[in-house]
């Protein structure tokens, strides 16, 4: 369920762009520019649209954070402001050695001792009129960080825009086998109903189909997600997990929560409500997410999650079980 | 009796319905076919006339090259064109990539000599009609264009100093040169040249400014001779042109003889629904202008910025129409002074002529598309460009229509209308002597 879109107009969330002025975190409103449906990179007060192509394997498809194939990739920065045509721009791609993955910022990159050792591509600062383009052929899948460094036209200050991305997430046949399987099951269900006039087995098949479908929307790359630490509240252990990694911006998506007793025994009968927001900005979630399904093995599906800006978020789960209520609160840095 | 009647009636009416349907179907088919076969309207005829080779004006003069139409210059130019000594490794001539048998192209995605060119080799037939040369129009005359492959490290890899040394040393070249351009100075006694075979564009760096100008002037004259030769490469009369003649003469039988209904339908699409003449117009089937058609970038290359860079390079070029080595007055350089520039021409490339197009695969500026079918599929899709904006719109042509267009594109072949002696390496010069070394 990664972004792979055909047009600028059908973008899912924005590229994570950390633009940090030296010594100043640009995390308040207006610091980082997020624009629905478009990948935007902001360099000082200058904006550029950011697109990556893999023309040899994906033709005209546009990407801005996760590149499906380990192959030749063309990075294009389309300037929204003419000044960028006269600004020296340097472009570097490093392997993600920050350990921050999705959440890497310039301050993490700045801490790297030997930046050159981690560098897989480097284009020295140069004035690129009209449009900035770079081509790099990746040879290893994994997490990478792109760094665009501009010399601020007036002050001569260096401005860094950092965007973590992943290369090589394409998975085989995608969801087609699943679609086919579900269709076959539905058809079998229909035949069964006609032959037996019985609802039992049909219902069982429907459940299997549903579960398979639910399974298919499990995190594609859960193991490499920056894990939210499990929380211990009262006699319960609570693990919260986004379905899509990296967590998308400005797009509805689902999460799962797993509740077990401290000994590891799954809890099946909890009633869970979801709340949250940005304490530093004094606002809640832009949506009203809720638990919609019990998935088995102590796991519950949360639907309707959405974040509309970057920064520090909180998600709190109120869990009522056997007459007692506990609240688990998770900090999420986007 | 009544029973028999009632059973026979449905049979009859079914048959009647089948016959009626068949008739309707046939009628519809006939109508469709005949509309495709319909005679050309007055408007269509005038469009066809505009594409006809007979409408090609006389070759415009090149005021920047006094020798453009000098037959002696053309003869010298032909020799230079086919001479592999004009290269760093003694193996590359212009004709290595511009092969007469292949309409002066090479059949490769990108030109190949010492290295690999950045783009696809362009046919030279009819090139003299274009105010701009190269896919991005970074040259504004044939003579100025001819200088750049000579010093391009991927192509001839030579340099102007080595080239002048060669012209001076080969007595035949020298006498031909001097008859046209006046005495050729012997630099070799006075100046230490860069070692022969030293590729690169600035070998004259150790010359005085004045000598550097003299060297560049001889270099420009070499270009002007080659240009005089290239001006002889004119397009020939194709089947399409004979067909248009028949259309203009309203000679139906001859039209049918020259064009199949399929080709005619393709031509109708070309000038109509498929909008090709928006850019591929005039008797060379090109407007020689720059358009972004959203062709996918080639493997190993970033998308081509095309004209937006081409204008900058042309304007800064010391060998352009306004430069010292040009013979033109400023007033003759309107193209250079008033050409469109800016973000509108980002990713725009020069519309290529479609004459002989069937014979000059692969296609597009870096040979990205190998067949005409692929080119037509591209136009049918008209995807958004990687950079800038695709000016072409999706066409929604059926498969049959695409085949018709493809068939039409096959009617544009013709051998160049050039005397055969110009189309092969020249006979050995009557007077080839190795000059004595001083």
């Amino acid at each position: 369920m990664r972004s792979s879109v055909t047009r600028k107009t059908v973008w899912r969330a924005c590229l994570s762009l950390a633009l940090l002025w030296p010594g100043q975190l640009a995390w308040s409103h207006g610091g980082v520019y997020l624009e629905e449906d478009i990948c935007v990179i902001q360099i000082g007060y200058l904006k550029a649209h950011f697109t990556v192509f893999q023309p040899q394997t994906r033709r005209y498809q546009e990407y801005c954070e996760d590149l499906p194939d380990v192959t030749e990739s063309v990075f294009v920065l389309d300037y929204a402001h003419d000044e960028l045509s006269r600004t020296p721009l340097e472009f570097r791609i490093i392997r993600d050695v920050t350990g921050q993955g999705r959440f890497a910022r310039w301050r993490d990159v700045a801490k790297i001792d030997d930046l050159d050792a981690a560098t897989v591509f480097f284009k020295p600062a140069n004035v690129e009129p009209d449009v900035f383009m770079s081509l790099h052929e990746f040879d290893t899948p994994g997490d990478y960080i792109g760094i665009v460094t501009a010399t601020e036209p007036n002050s001569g200050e260096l401005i860094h825009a950092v965007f973590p991305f992943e290369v090589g997430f394409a998975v085989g046949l995608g969801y087609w086998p699943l679609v086919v399987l579900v269709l076959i099951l539905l058809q079998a269900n229909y035949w069964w109903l006609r032959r037996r006039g019985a609802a039992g087995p049909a219902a069982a098949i429907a459940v299997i189909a549903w579960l398979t479908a639910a399974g298919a929307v499990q995190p594609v790359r859960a193991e490499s997600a920056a894990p939210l630490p499990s929380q211990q509240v009262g006699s319960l252990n609570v693990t919260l997990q986004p379905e899509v990694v990296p967590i998308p911006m400005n797009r509805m998506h689902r999460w799962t929560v797993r509740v077990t007793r401290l000994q590891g025994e799954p809890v099946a009968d909890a009633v869970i409500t979801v709340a949250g927001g940005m304490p530093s900005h004094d606002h809640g979630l832009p949506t009203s997410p809720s638990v919609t399904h019990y998935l088995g093995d102590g796991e519950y599906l949360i639907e309707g999650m959405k974040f509309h800006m970057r920064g520090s978020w909180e998600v709190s789960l109120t869990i009522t079980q056997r007459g007692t209520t506990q609240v688990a609160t998770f900090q999420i840095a986007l | 009796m009544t029973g028999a009647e009632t059973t026979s009636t449905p049979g009859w009416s079914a048959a009647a319905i089948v016959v009626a349907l068949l008739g309707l179907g046939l009628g519809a088919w006939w109508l469709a076919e005949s509309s495709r076969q319909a005679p050309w309207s007055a408007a269509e005829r005038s469009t066809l006339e505009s594409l006809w080779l007979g409408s090609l004006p006389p070759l415009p003069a090149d005021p920047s090259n006094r020798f453009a139409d000098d037959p002696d210059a053309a003869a010298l130019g032909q020799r230079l064109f086919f001479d592999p000594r004009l290269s760093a490794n003694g193996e590359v001539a212009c004709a290595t990539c511009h092969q007469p048998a292949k309409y002066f192209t090479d059949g490769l995605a990108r030109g190949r000599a010492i290295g690999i060119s950045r783009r696809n080799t362009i046919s030279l037939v009819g090139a003299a009609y274009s105010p701009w040369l190269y896919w991005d129009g970074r040259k504004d005359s044939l003579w100025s264009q001819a200088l750049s492959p000579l010093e391009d490290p991927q192509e001839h890899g030579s340099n102007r100093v080595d080239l002048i040394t060669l012209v001076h040393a080969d007595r035949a070249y020298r006498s031909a040169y001097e008859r046209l351009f006046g005495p050729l100075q012997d630099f070799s006694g006075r100046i230490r040249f860069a070692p022969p075979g030293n590729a690169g564009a600035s070998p004259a760096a150790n010359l005085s400014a004045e000598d550097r100008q003299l060297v560049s002037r001889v270099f420009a004259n070499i270009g002007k001779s080659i240009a005089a030769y290239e001006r002889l490469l004119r397009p020939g009369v194709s089947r399409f042109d004979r067909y248009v003649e028949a259309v203009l003469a309203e000679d139906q039988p001859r039209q049918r003889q020259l064009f199949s209904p399929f080709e005619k339908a393709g031509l109708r699409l070309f000038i109509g629904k498929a909008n090709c003449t928006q850019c591929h117009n005039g008797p060379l089937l090109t407007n020689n202008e720059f358009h972004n058609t959203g062709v996918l970038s080639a493997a190993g290359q970033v998308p081509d910025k095309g004209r937006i860079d081409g204008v900058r390079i042309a304007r800064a070029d010391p060998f352009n129409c306004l430069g010292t080595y040009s013979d033109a007055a400023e007033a003759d350089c309107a193209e250079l002074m008033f050409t469109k520039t800016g973000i509108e021409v980002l990713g725009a490339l020069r519309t290529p002529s479609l004459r002989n197009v069937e014979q000059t695969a692969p296609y597009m500026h870096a040979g990205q598309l190998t067949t005409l079918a692929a080119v037509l599929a591209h136009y049918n899709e008209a995807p958004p460009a990687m950079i800038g904006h695709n000016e072409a719109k999706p066409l929604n042509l059926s498969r049959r229509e695409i085949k018709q267009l493809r068939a039409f594109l096959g009617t544009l072949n013709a051998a160049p209308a050039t005397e055969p002696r110009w189309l092969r390496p020249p006979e050995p010069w009557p007077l080839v002597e190795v000059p004595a070394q001083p």
Side-chain angles (χ1 to χ4, degrees):
Chain A
M1 302 234 75
R2 296 311 169 92
S3 66
S4 85
V5 285
T6 48
R7 263 149 222 256
K8 282 181 180 136
T9 46
V10 288
W11 281 120
R12 76 147 154 130
C14 254
L15 166 70
S16 74
L17 282 172
L19 169 74
L20 297 179
W21 291 77
Q24 181 207 336
L25 286 185
W27 284 141
S28 48
H29 283 104
V32 173
Y33 193 85
L34 294 172
E35 196 172 83
E36 182 106 51
D37 291 344
I38 295 172
C39 299
V40 173
I41 195 168
Q42 181 141 9
I43 302 164
Y45 58 93
L46 305 174
K47 276 193 284 173
H49 296 261
F50 180 80
T51 321
V52 189
F53 296 88
Q54 299 196 313
Q56 302 314 309
T57 53
R58 305 274 160 168
R59 306 190 70 235
Y60 293 90
Q61 289 210 26
E62 299 177 2
Y63 301 90
C64 73
E65 44 185 3
D66 293 335
L67 312 180
D69 301 318
V70 184
T71 183
E72 193 177 290
S73 307
V74 176
F75 295 77
V76 177
L77 271 187
D78 228 334
Y79 309 144
H81 291 103
D82 275 354
E83 277 108 311
L84 285 170
S85 271
R86 298 182 286 275
T87 306
L89 295 177
E90 174 197 283
F91 183 45
R92 185 192 290 270
I93 303 173
I94 62 170
R95 277 179 289 106
D96 179 12
V97 291
T98 65
Q100 300 298 307
R102 169 96 202 87
F103 305 105
R105 302 284 178 257
W106 171 248
R107 59 168 181 264
D108 305 312
V109 174
K111 275 188 236 149
I112 300 172
D113 291 330
D114 190 352
L115 197 60
D116 288 336
T119 298
V120 298
F121 177 84
F122 180 69
K123 184 174 180 184
N126 195 17
V127 173
E128 302 280 346
D130 320 314
V131 61
F132 177 94
M133 297 183 284
S134 260
L135 181 144
H136 177 60
E137 177 152 10
F138 289 94
D139 53 15
T140 326
D143 290 316
Y144 291 88
I145 299 174
I147 307 154
V148 177
T149 303
T151 314
E152 214 278 334
N154 303 319
S155 64
E157 218 172 347
L158 291 183
I159 310 165
H160 307 280
V162 171
F163 54 98
F165 62 96
E166 192 197 338
V167 173
F169 69 75
V171 271
L173 299 169
Y175 295 111
W176 283 108
L178 179 84
V179 171
V180 171
L181 182 72
V182 168
L183 285 177
I184 290 171
L185 285 171
L186 285 175
Q187 186 64 29
N189 185 1
Y190 174 72
W191 282 333
W192 201 297
L193 275 170
R194 300 241 338 218
R195 267 179 57 195
R196 297 281 185 91
I205 288 169
V207 167
I208 292 168
W210 184 84
L211 282 179
T212 328
V217 293
Q218 293 285 314
V220 180
R221 202 181 114 250
E223 68 287 353
S224 60
L228 299 170
S230 294
Q231 289 212 9
Q232 201 177 313
V233 284
S235 60
L236 301 176
N237 213 20
V238 184
T239 313
L240 185 62
Q241 174 87 66
E243 170 208 284
V244 183
V245 180
I247 296 166
M249 200 51 53
N250 282 328
R251 198 191 71 178
M252 288 278 205
H253 62 287
R254 308 198 268 189
W255 288 52
T256 55
V257 55
R258 186 156 189 265
V259 184
T260 60
R261 299 202 191 290
L262 295 184
Q263 297 77 20
E265 181 198 343
V267 173
D269 57 353
V271 174
I272 305 172
T273 60
V274 185
M278 292 187 95
S280 58
H281 291 263
D282 207 18
H283 62 67
L285 293 170
T287 56
S288 313
S290 63
V291 170
T292 54
H293 291 102
Y294 177 57
L295 301 173
D297 194 32
E299 217 171 22
Y300 301 78
L301 183 67
I302 301 171
E303 292 190 84
M305 292 290 281
K306 188 175 183 180
F307 302 100
H308 64 285
M309 64 179 290
R310 301 204 174 269
S312 304
W313 289 82
E314 262 184 9
V315 172
S316 53
L317 304 172
T318 308
I319 304 167
T320 307
Q321 188 257 338
R322 293 191 190 160
T324 60
T325 295
Q326 257 122 15
V327 178
T329 301
F330 295 83
Q331 307 295 329
I332 300 163
L334 289 184
Chain B
M1 275 301 278
T2 339
E5 264 183 46
T6 43
T7 48
S8 71
T9 311
W12 277 113
S13 51
I17 287 169
V18 167
V19 167
L21 280 178
L22 265 176
L24 270 175
L26 270 172
W29 175 83
W30 183 83
L31 259 176
E33 281 305 304
S34 59
S35 79
R36 201 169 296 133
Q37 298 308 307
W40 299 99
S41 69
E44 284 172 326
R45 267 193 312 221
S46 89
T47 306
L48 292 183
E49 185 173 3
S50 73
L51 302 177
W52 174 50
L53 196 60
S55 305
L56 190 68
L59 189 59
D62 178 358
S64 71
N65 179 3
R66 272 195 294 135
F67 304 91
D69 299 306
D70 184 316
D72 290 337
L76 173 58
Q78 182 189 18
R79 265 169 214 285
L80 295 165
F81 189 90
F82 286 96
D83 189 344
R85 290 178 299 168
L86 275 66
S87 62
N89 61 2
E91 288 169 15
V92 182
C94 306
T96 305
C97 301
H98 301 284
Q99 301 165 18
K102 293 182 178 158
Y103 299 90
F104 293 87
T105 67
D106 52 12
L108 302 169
R110 287 154 63 190
R112 195 176 301 155
I114 289 179
I116 295 180
S117 309
R118 192 173 142 208
R119 299 201 180 95
N120 176 258
T121 305
I122 309 177
S123 169
L124 305 185
V125 180
Y129 281 87
S130 179
W132 300 103
L133 284 308
Y134 280 139
W135 287 101
D136 56 1
R138 66 185 181 280
K139 285 289 189 176
D140 66 346
S141 69
L142 274 178
W143 66 267
S144 169
Q145 186 287 326
L147 307 177
S148 65
L150 293 172
E151 289 189 336
D152 184 330
Q154 309 300 327
E155 299 186 336
H156 294 246
S158 187
N159 63 62
R160 60 195 73 172
V161 176
D162 281 356
L163 291 168
I164 294 166
T165 312
L166 171 73
V167 172
H168 191 266
D170 180 318
R171 187 170 290 182
Y173 269 150
R174 189 164 127 200
S175 66
Y177 179 93
E178 292 189 334
R179 253 181 287 133
L180 286 159
F181 304 104
L184 176 60
Q185 260 181 291
D186 179 10
F187 289 92
S188 54
R190 288 197 285 134
I191 298 144
R192 276 194 326 114
F193 287 114
N198 183 18
S202 54
N206 56 350
L207 302 183
S208 71
E210 198 183 318
D211 281 346
R212 217 174 309 166
Q213 261 215 19
L214 286 173
V215 166
S216 293
R217 185 161 297 281
V218 180
F219 188 43
N221 289 340
I222 289 175
K224 288 176 181 177
S225 311
I226 296 176
Y229 166 64
E230 290 172 304
R231 283 168 68 85
L232 302 175
L233 308 175
R234 313 282 183 89
V237 174
S238 67
R239 184 150 60 85
F240 163 72
D241 299 299
R242 280 180 274 130
Y243 176 75
V244 176
E245 261 163 56
V247 171
L248 298 177
E250 299 187 50
D251 182 344
Q252 299 278 354
R254 189 155 163 69
Q255 288 176 39
R256 274 194 295 276
Q257 194 188 332
L258 283 163
F259 255 40
S260 73
F262 218 60
E263 289 162 341
K264 182 177 177 187
L267 173 55
R268 186 160 259 144
L269 287 164
F270 188 85
I271 64 169
K273 186 174 159 189
N275 241 340
C276 308
T277 44
Q278 183 191 329
C279 305
H280 298 279
N281 53 34
L284 296 174
L285 299 143
T286 170
N287 57 5
N288 281 320
E289 276 300 330
F290 301 87
H291 299 282
N292 185 331
T293 52
V295 177
L296 202 65
S297 62
Q301 295 186 333
V302 296
D304 200 317
K305 284 169 71 179
R307 182 59 175 163
I308 201 164
D309 277 347
V311 178
R312 279 192 200 107
I313 299 170
R315 288 199 166 147
D317 191 336
F319 294 103
N320 69 18
C321 184
L322 292 165
T324 332
Y325 310 102
S326 159
D327 302 320
E330 194 180 305
D332 297 324
C333 303
E335 285 284 354
L336 187 63
M337 291 190 290
F338 303 112
T339 188
K340 182 167 85 177
T341 174
I343 208 77
E344 263 177 86
V345 288
L346 175 61
L349 294 144
R350 197 171 116 237
T351 312
S353 168
L354 296 185
R355 291 199 170 262
N356 306 311
V357 71
E358 191 182 49
Q359 305 291 323
T360 58
Y363 304 105
M364 302 311 191
H365 62 272
Q368 292 99 319
L369 302 177
T370 48
T371 63
L372 285 174
V375 172
L376 294 171
H378 169 76
Y379 281 114
N380 210 26
E381 179 190 358
M386 292 172 75
I387 57 168
H389 297 283
N390 190 347
E391 295 169 45
K393 300 281 164 286
L395 297 173
N396 296 315
L397 299 177
S398 70
R399 254 195 244 168
R400 184 178 159 84
E401 287 174 320
I402 286 182
K403 286 197 180 129
Q404 290 166 337
L405 264 175
R406 166 65 191 84
F408 161 67
L409 291 176
T411 67
L412 296 165
N413 304 326
T418 301
E419 273 179 62
R421 70 184 168 104
W422 295 110
L423 299 177
R424 52 179 185 249
E427 301 296 322
W429 224 312
L431 179 131
V432 183
E433 279 170 48
V434 182
Q437 292 298 317

